[in-house]
């Protein structure tokens, strides 16, 4: 887990160092963008920055509790359309590791 976090920090640091303007533009876009509203956008009332923060926390927690991963993915969608909730069906997917087949002989 620490190795993955270290790689993430390294890659983000390199990206920010190489193109700081792009990251500033992205931050401004997130702040200024208005999400589509209506009954189809099921999380329209939750600010994007809050959803992305929750998604990040859940993603790290999913390293230990794999069933949280689909929730993190759903929360990270830029717009959570009603049909996007189908991602949550992965919560009930089997996660057991496959059985190892021993070679004959």
């Amino acid at each position: 887990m620490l190795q993955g976090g270290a790689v993430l920090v390294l890659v983000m640091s390199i990206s920010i160092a190489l193109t700081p303007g792009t990251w500033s533009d992205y931050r401004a876009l997130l702040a200024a963008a208005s999400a589509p509203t209506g009954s189809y956008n099921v999380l329209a009332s939750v600010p994007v920055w809050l959803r992305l923060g929750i998604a990040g926390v859940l993603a790290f927690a999913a390293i230990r509790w794999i069933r949280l991963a689909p929730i993190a993915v759903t929360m990270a969608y830029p717009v959570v359309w009603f049909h996007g909730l189908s991602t949550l069906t992965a919560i009930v997917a089997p996660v057991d590791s496959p059985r190892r087949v021993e070679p004959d002989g």
Side-chain angles (χ1 to χ4, degrees):
M1 180 168 119
L2 291 176
Q3 291 172 337
V7 169
L8 173 70
V9 169
L10 176 67
V11 170
M12 282 192 67
S13 298
I14 292 170
S15 176
I16 291 169
L18 292 176
T19 59
T22 303
W23 282 93
S24 296
D25 292 347
Y26 179 64
R27 198 174 13 207
L29 172 74
L30 288 179
S34 61
T37 58
S39 61
Y40 227 60
N41 185 359
V42 295
L43 291 179
S45 61
V46 181
V48 173
W49 64 267
L50 179 60
R51 283 193 297 109
L52 291 178
I54 292 170
V57 169
L58 290 174
F60 276 107
I63 294 169
R64 173 71 175 99
W65 300 286
I66 192 70
R67 300 265 181 214
L68 293 176
I71 300 169
V73 169
T74 302
M75 295 294 287
Y77 288 150
V79 175
V80 183
W81 301 113
F82 182 74
H83 59 272
L85 297 177
S86 63
T87 304
L88 297 176
T89 60
I91 293 171
V92 297
V95 292
D96 293 339
S97 60
R99 291 190 179 139
R100 219 168 63 183
V101 177
E102 297 294 327
D104 292 334

